[in-house]
C-alpha cells in the first residue's frame, strides 16, 4: 500500500513543476512593467538598472526560473511590491483564516449534504426525494453573496444572534471565533452541500441495488445497518473524493463571501493584490493555492486507497 | 410403462412420510405492474418438509427467483405486489407478518443462497465480519464468540486455511470459495429452510459438483428443508425428493422426483425431459422446446403453454386447465392429463 501511495506522490511532482512554471511564466507575459511601478514616479535609470540587476531580468528565462524556484523552496516568495512586506508573511497571516473558514464550511457541507443524499436515495421517487433535489438545486443557484446578505440582515441585524462580520483568531477567543465564522461557513457550506447531496444520492442509488445489499437484507439486518453500514461504506469513495476536492477549492479563498462578511482571508488578499497590481503577492497566493489543491488531490488519492480493500489488499 | 404401476410402487409411497411441512405456499400470485391483467406468478402452490429437498425447475424467466425472493421478503414492494396467497412457515403466514418479524426470520430460521457468488458479498468487509454479523444479529453472543463461530462455519464448508480466510476480503477469493462463504453465512444460524437459487450456475463444472456435494452433506447433517432452484436435470435426479416444474409463472406439474422423471404427465415436462423418461443421472440442462414464452401481455387466457403445445386446442387457449391429481402428491395442470389415456383415445 505504501508503494501505491509513494507512486501517487511521485506522479504529483511533474504537476507541481508545471504549476510553478505557469505561475512564473505568466508573470513574465503579464502586461505592464512591474519595475516601473516599483521605481516610482521619477523612473531614475540608475534605480531601474539596479532593479533589473536585482531581479536578474537580463538573465535567460531558465536561469531566472531556477533562481526564483530556489527562493520559493526556501520560503522566500519575494516582497509585496506595494508595501515591501514579505509575501510569505502575508500568506502566513491569512492562511489560518482561510483554513478555518474552509474546514468549517466543508464540515457544514458534509453534515447537510451527505445525510440529505442518503435520505433522497433511500426514498427515491417520493416527495422527500423531490424536495431534497429542489432544495439542492436552489442551493446551487442562490448566489453566496445574496444568501450572506440576507443572513446578516436576519440573524445579525434583526435577531442579533451572531456577529455580522470580522474575524477573531481561534487562539484568542475560540467561542467568539466559531460564532463569527458560523454564518460565512454556512453560506459556503450550503452551496457545496448541494453538490455533495447529489453525488451522495447517485452513489447510494448505485449501491443500493447491488447484490450484496440483498445479501445483507437476507441476513435479517435492519434497514439502518443495511443503509448506513453496507451501502454507505461502498458509496463513500465518490463522496470522499468530492469532499476533498471541494475543500481544495475552498482553500483558494471565497472572494465574495469573504467580502460580504469582511473576513481577512486569501480571497481578500488576492482581490486587493490584483487591484493594486501587486504581482508578487498574486504570484505567491496563486502558487500556494495551486500547491494546496494538488495536495488535496493527493489526499483524495490516498483516502481512496485507504477506503478500498481491493487496493489495500491486492490479491 | 404405465402410470398406475408406478403409483403402486411401494418405494414411492415411502418417499413423503406425513410430517408437517416447514413451508406451505398456497395460491401465490405476484405482479410487478399495478392493474395488470396477467400476474407474473400465478396461483403457485407447493410445500417442503423438514429434511426434504424440493427442486423447482423451469426455463429462465419463468419466475423462480422472484418467487423465492418474495418468500424471503426481499422483493422491493413497490413495484412487486403479492396479489394473493399464503405462505405458512412453521404455521405462520409470512405474507401477513410485519416487516420487522420477517427480518427476525431472515438469515435465522430461513436463509437463502444466490446465483451470483461474485457480487453477493460486500467488497468492503472481510469474510469473517460478514459471517459474524449475521450471527450477532440473531444470537446473543459477543464479537469474539461470533468470530469463533464464523471460523467454525468456514471449516464446516471446507474452506482451506480457514483462519487465514476469516480476514480475507471477497476479492481475494475465487467464485467457488465465495459461494462456500455464502453457504456458511446462510447456515450460520441453522435455518429450518434453505432456499438455494441456482447456487452453482455461475461456477465451473468441477466446482459445481463440489458445492452441490457440500450442500447435500450439510443438509443431511442439519436436517434443514431445502428449496433448490436449478437448471440441471442431473442435479434434480440426484438430490430432489420432490419436483415442481414451472412454466411462465405457473407450476404445471409437481410431485415426487420418481413420478416426474418416470411418469411425466404435462406436455411441457415431457418436452423438457426429452422423449425417453427414465430415472437416473442425466447430464445437461433442460431440453429446449420449440417456440418462446409469450410476453405477459400476450399470454393466453387459458393454458400458458398453449402456444407451444402440440396438443393444444381452442379450450386450452381459452380456459385455465384444472390441476389433475394422480395420487401420492403427483399432479399436472393440463386438460389432457392423464396423458396416456388421451393419447390412446386419439389413436
Ligand atoms: N423488479 C422487477 N420488475 C419487473 N419485472 C421483474 C423484476 N424482477 C424480475 N422481473 C421479471 O420477472 C420475470 C421472472 O424473473 P425470474 O424470477 O428472475 O426468473 P427465473 O425463473 O429465471 O429466476 C422475468 O421476466 C423478469 O423480467
Ligand atoms: S392444457 Fe392444453 S395446451 Fe396446456 S399443456 Fe395441456 S394440452 Fe397443452
Ligand atoms: Mg433466476
Amino acid at each position: 500500500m505504501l508503494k501505491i501511495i509513494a507512486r501517487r506522490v511521485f506522479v504529483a511532482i511533474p504537476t507541481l513543476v508545471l504549476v510553478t512554471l505557469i505561475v512564473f511564466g505568466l508573470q513574465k507575459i503579464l502586461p505592464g512593467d512591474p519595475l516601473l511601478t516599483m521605481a516610482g514616479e521619477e523612473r531614475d535609470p540608475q534605480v531601474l538598472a539596479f532593479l533589473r540587476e536585482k531581479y536578474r531580468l537580463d538573465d535567460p528565462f531558465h536561469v531566472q526560473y531556477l533562481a526564483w524556484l530556489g527562493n520559493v523552496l526556501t520560503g522566500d516568495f519575494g516582497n509585496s511590491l506595494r508595501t515591501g512586506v514579505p509575501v510569505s508573511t502575508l500568506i502566513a497571516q491569512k492562511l489560518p483564516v482561510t483554513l478555518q473558514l474552509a474546514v468549517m464550511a466543508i464540515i457544514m457541507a458534509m453534515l447537510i449534504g451527505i445525510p440529505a443524499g442518503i435520505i433522497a436515495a433511500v426514498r427515491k421517487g417520493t416527495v422527500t426525494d423531490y424536495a431534497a433535489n429542489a432544495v439542492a438545486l436552489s442551493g446551487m443557484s442562490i448566489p453566496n453573496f445574496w444568501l450572506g446578505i440576507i443572513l446578516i440582515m436576519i440573524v445579525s441585524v434583526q435577531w442579533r444572534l451572531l456577529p455580522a462580520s470580522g474575524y477573531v483568531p481561534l487562539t484568542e477567543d475560540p467561542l467568539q471565533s466559531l460564532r463569527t465564522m458560523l454564518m460565512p461557513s454556512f453560506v459556503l457550506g450550503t452551496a457545496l452541500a448541494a453538490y455533495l447531496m447529489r453525488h451522495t444520492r447517485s452513489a447510494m442509488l448505485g449501491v443500493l441495488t447491488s447484490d450484496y445489499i440483498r445479501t445483507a437484507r437476507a441476513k435479517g439486518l435492519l434497514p439502518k445497518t443495511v443503509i448506513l453500514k453496507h451501502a454507505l461504506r461502498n458509496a463513500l469513495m465518490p463522496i470522499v473524493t468530492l469532499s476533498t476536492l471541494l475543500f481544495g477549492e475552498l482553500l483558494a479563498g471565497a472572494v465574495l463571501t469573504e467580502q460580504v462578511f469582511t473576513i481577512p482571508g486569501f480571497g481578500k488578499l488576492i482581490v486587493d493584490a490584483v487591484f493594486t497590481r501587486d504581482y508578487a503577492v498574486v504570484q505567491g497566493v496563486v502558487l500556494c493555492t495551486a500547491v494546496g489543491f494538488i495536495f488535496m488531490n493527493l489526499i483524495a488519492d490516498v483516502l481512496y486507497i485507504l477506503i478500498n480493500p481491493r487496493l489495500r489488499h491486492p490479491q | 410403462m404405465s402410470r398406475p404401476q408406478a403409483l403402486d410402487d411401494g418405494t414411492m409411497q415411502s418417499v413423503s412420510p406425513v410430517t408437517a411441512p416447514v413451508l406451505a405456499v398456497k395460491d401465490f400470485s405476484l405482479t410487478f405492474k399495478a392493474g395488470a391483467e396477467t400476474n407474473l406468478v400465478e396461483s403457485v402452490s407447493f410445500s417442503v418438509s423438514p429434511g426434504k429437498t424440493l427442486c423447482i425447475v423451469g426455463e429462465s424467466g419463468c419466475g423462480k427467483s422472484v418467487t423465492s425472493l418474495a418468500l424471503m421478503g426481499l422483493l422491493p414492494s413497490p413495484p412487486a405486489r403479492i396479489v394473493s396467497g399464503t405462505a405458512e412457515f412453521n404455521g405462520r403466514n409470512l405474507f401477513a407478518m410485519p416487516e420487522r418479524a420477517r427480518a427476525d426470520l431472515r438469515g435465522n430460521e430461513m436463509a437463502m443462497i444466490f446465483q451470483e457468488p461474485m457480487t453477493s458479498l460486500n467488497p468492503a468487509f472481510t469474510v469473517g465480519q460478514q459471517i459474524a454479523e449475521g450471527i450477532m444479529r440473531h444470537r446473543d453472543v459477543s464479537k469474539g464468540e461470533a468470530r469463533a463461530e464464523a471460523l467454525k462455519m468456514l471449516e464446516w464448508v471446507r474452506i482451506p486455511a480457514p483462519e487465514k480466510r476469516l480476514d480475507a476480503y471477497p476479492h481475494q477469493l475465487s467464485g467457488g470459495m465465495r459461494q462456500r462463504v455464502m453457504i456458511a453465512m446462510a447456515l450460520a444460524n441453522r435455518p429450518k429452510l434453505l432456499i438455494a437459487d441456482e447456487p452453482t450456475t455461475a461456477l465451473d463444472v468441477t466446482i459445481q459438483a463440489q458445492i452441490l456435494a457440500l450442500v447435500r452433506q450439510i443438509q443431511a447433517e442439519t436436517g434443514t428443508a431445502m428449496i433448490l432452484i436449478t437448471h440441471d436435470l442431473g442435479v434434480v435426479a440426484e438430490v430432489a425428493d420432490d419436483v415442481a416444474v414451472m412454466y411462465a409463472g405457473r407450476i404445471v406439474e409437481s410431485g415426487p422426483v420418481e413420478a416426474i422423471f418416470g411418469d411425466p404427465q404435462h406436455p411441457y415436462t415431457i418436452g423438457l425431459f426429452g422423449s425417453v423418461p427414465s430415472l437416473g443421472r442425466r447430464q445437461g440442462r433442460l431440453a429446449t422446446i420449440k417456440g418462446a414464452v409469450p410476453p405477459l401481455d400476450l399470454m393466453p387466457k387459458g393454458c400458458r403453454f398453449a402456444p407451444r403445445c402440440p396438443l393444444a386446442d381452442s379450450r386450452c387457449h381459452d380456459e385455465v386447465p384444472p390441476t389433475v391429481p394422480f395420487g401420492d402428491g403427483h399432479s399436472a395442470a393440463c386438460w389432457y392429463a392423464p396423458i396416456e389415456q388421451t393419447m390412446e383415445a386419439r389413436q
Side-chain angles (χ1 to χ4, degrees):
Chain A
M1 182 175 75
L2 280 176
K3 236 167 73 189
I4 308 179
I5 295 177
R7 208 171 58 216
R8 299 283 157 111
V9 174
F10 194 72
V11 167
I13 292 174
T15 323
L16 272 171
V17 172
L18 193 67
V19 163
T20 55
L21 262 175
I22 292 174
V23 170
F24 183 75
L26 270 185
Q27 154 121 333
K28 294 283 139 196
I29 58 166
L30 278 179
D33 188 343
L35 287 192
L36 294 182
T37 326
M38 287 169 80
E41 292 294 298
E42 303 93 56
R43 300 187 181 172
D44 182 337
Q46 262 185 315
V47 174
L48 276 178
F50 169 75
L51 287 172
R52 290 192 83 80
E53 171 74 31
K54 185 181 172 202
Y55 290 101
R56 298 164 184 248
L57 291 187
D58 296 323
D59 286 344
F61 180 84
H62 68 274
V63 176
Q64 289 188 36
Y65 169 70
L66 287 177
W68 173 80
L69 193 64
N71 287 341
V72 164
L73 286 178
T74 57
D76 177 6
F77 292 81
N79 299 337
S80 161
L81 301 183
R82 206 163 46 92
T83 58
V85 179
V87 174
S88 51
T89 309
L90 288 174
I91 290 175
Q93 279 172 4
K94 311 295 180 187
L95 191 61
V97 185
T98 294
L99 214 53
Q100 187 188 345
L101 184 61
V103 168
M104 284 180 70
I106 200 72
I107 290 177
M108 206 76 93
M110 290 169 83
L111 283 181
I112 300 170
I114 297 175
I118 294 172
I119 293 169
V122 171
R123 304 230 181 285
K124 182 189 173 226
T126 65
V127 179
T128 321
D129 183 23
Y130 295 129
N133 271 301
V135 171
L137 197 62
S138 21
M140 282 191 243
S141 39
I142 292 176
N144 283 350
F145 73 87
W146 184 82
L147 182 60
I149 291 169
I150 298 286
L151 277 179
I152 289 178
M153 285 189 345
I154 297 174
V155 180
S156 301
V157 178
Q158 285 200 342
W159 298 346
R160 302 183 175 281
L161 276 178
L162 292 170
S165 65
Y167 168 70
V168 181
L170 205 54
T171 45
E172 221 167 74
D173 181 351
L175 191 67
Q176 188 59 17
S177 174
L178 292 179
R179 274 168 46 88
T180 335
M181 284 292 204
L182 196 61
M183 269 200 297
S185 58
F186 177 79
V187 167
L188 285 173
T190 45
L192 301 185
Y195 293 97
L196 264 179
M197 177 262 160
R198 288 170 75 109
H199 276 254
T200 304
R201 177 180 180 275
S202 74
M204 284 295 283
L205 281 181
V207 167
L208 280 170
T209 50
S210 39
D211 289 339
Y212 55 80
I213 293 302
R214 188 181 59 189
T215 306
R217 295 183 55 224
K219 280 195 274 190
L221 300 182
L222 300 178
K224 186 181 64 189
T225 319
V226 173
I227 293 162
L228 294 184
K229 185 174 171 190
H230 285 260
L232 186 58
R233 188 65 170 63
N234 284 283
L236 216 50
M237 294 188 200
I239 301 174
V240 166
T241 308
L242 181 68
S243 304
T244 323
L245 296 185
L246 289 176
F247 183 73
E249 252 171 62
L250 284 171
L251 286 185
V255 176
L256 282 176
T257 309
E258 287 187 8
Q259 216 71 348
V260 168
F261 290 97
T262 41
I263 296 168
F266 262 16
K268 182 154 164 44
L269 182 65
I270 203 164
V271 167
D272 290 350
V274 165
F275 280 127
T276 56
R277 302 227 176 144
D278 198 338
Y279 292 140
V281 174
V282 174
Q283 195 180 46
V285 174
V286 167
L287 191 61
C288 256
T289 312
V291 170
F293 202 80
I294 292 172
F295 182 69
M296 287 321 289
N297 261 292
L298 196 62
I299 297 280
D301 280 350
V302 172
L303 286 176
Y304 194 86
I305 295 166
L306 288 180
I307 290 175
N308 193 338
R310 259 169 284 207
L311 296 174
R312 248 187 307 143
H313 307 272
Q315 266 146 357
Chain B
M1 69 186 298
S2 71
R3 211 179 34 74
Q5 274 161 16
L7 270 180
D8 292 337
D9 188 320
T11 56
M12 270 194 46
Q13 261 123 28
S14 64
V15 162
S16 311
V18 191
T19 37
V22 178
L23 176 75
V25 178
K26 280 199 191 73
D27 192 32
F28 167 65
S29 301
L30 177 107
T31 183
F32 276 102
K33 261 201 231 126
E37 280 176 40
T38 321
N39 293 323
L40 184 67
V41 175
E42 176 70 32
S43 203
V44 157
S45 303
F46 56 81
S47 66
V48 52
S49 300
K52 297 290 175 197
T53 299
L54 167 72
C55 279
I56 302 182
V57 297
E59 280 164 304
S60 176
C62 71
K64 306 181 297 291
S65 293
V66 292
T67 301
S68 40
L69 289 172
L71 291 172
M72 286 293 290
L74 294 176
L75 270 189
S77 171
R81 194 166 60 84
I82 292 165
V83 181
S84 72
T86 57
E88 302 268 338
F89 181 73
N90 286 329
R92 292 201 292 168
N93 181 10
L94 292 172
F95 298 153
M97 281 164 74
E99 170 53 28
R100 174 59 203 248
R102 296 198 72 181
D104 289 343
L105 288 181
R106 274 202 292 273
N108 190 17
E109 291 187 38
M110 57 195 300
M112 184 160 174
I113 311 168
F114 303 97
Q115 190 179 342
E116 306 86 3
M118 298 310 279
T119 51
S120 289
L121 289 166
N122 193 323
F125 299 101
T126 65
V127 159
Q129 287 169 334
Q130 296 188 56
I131 301 174
E133 184 182 33
I135 296 170
M136 281 167 33
R137 162 68 175 86
H138 296 292
R139 287 193 245 161
D140 193 15
V141 293
S142 71
K143 242 193 167 126
E145 288 165 333
R147 191 180 150 87
E149 181 71 26
L151 179 62
K152 259 200 274 172
M153 292 309 297
L154 286 186
E155 284 164 3
W156 200 30
V157 296
R158 315 245 150 69
I159 286 188
E163 293 91 354
K164 217 178 102 213
R165 298 281 194 253
L166 205 55
D167 295 317
Y169 285 89
H171 73 272
Q172 295 169 313
L173 303 180
S174 68
M177 285 299 148
R178 292 190 210 187
Q179 197 62 303
R180 283 175 195 263
V181 171
M182 286 298 293
I183 295 170
M185 204 185 278
L187 295 173
N189 291 313
R190 309 297 129 88
K192 306 240 178 347
L193 172 69
L194 176 66
I195 303 178
D197 186 0
E198 304 193 35
T200 61
T201 307
L203 303 172
D204 291 344
V205 181
T206 46
I207 312 288
Q208 288 190 3
Q210 291 172 15
I211 294 288
L212 200 74
L214 175 71
V215 169
R216 286 191 68 190
Q217 186 184 344
I218 281 174
Q219 190 196 17
E221 283 174 33
T222 58
T224 177
M226 177 156 77
I227 296 176
L228 177 66
I229 295 169
T230 178
H231 269 125
D232 191 330
L233 288 184
V235 170
V236 178
E238 217 170 289
V239 308
D241 294 299
D242 297 290
V243 180
V245 182
M246 260 182 109
Y247 181 81
R250 278 212 171 115
I251 289 185
V252 291
E253 182 162 5
S254 63
V257 63
E258 292 82 357
I260 301 291
F261 273 84
D263 185 29
Q265 286 298 312
H266 194 280
Y268 177 65
T269 317
I270 295 169
L272 272 190
F273 289 6
S275 48
V276 200
S278 75
L279 200 50
R281 168 125 192 138
R282 263 164 219 259
Q283 296 300 329
R285 306 196 147 209
L286 303 181
T288 42
I289 298 167
K290 238 176 44 198
V293 185
L296 217 47
D297 45 342
L298 296 179
M299 202 61 84
K301 276 204 314 282
C303 176
R304 292 188 172 190
F305 188 54
R308 295 167 82 182
C309 180
L311 301 180
D313 58 17
S314 65
R315 178 178 61 171
C316 294
H317 278 91
D318 294 338
E319 293 170 52
V320 177
T323 298
V324 182
F326 313 112
D328 204 20
H330 185 194
S331 62
C334 174
W335 281 114
Y336 289 108
I339 205 150
E340 290 88 348
Q341 287 169 20
T342 305
M343 300 311 275
E344 276 159 24
R346 286 196 179 182
Q347 271 159 14

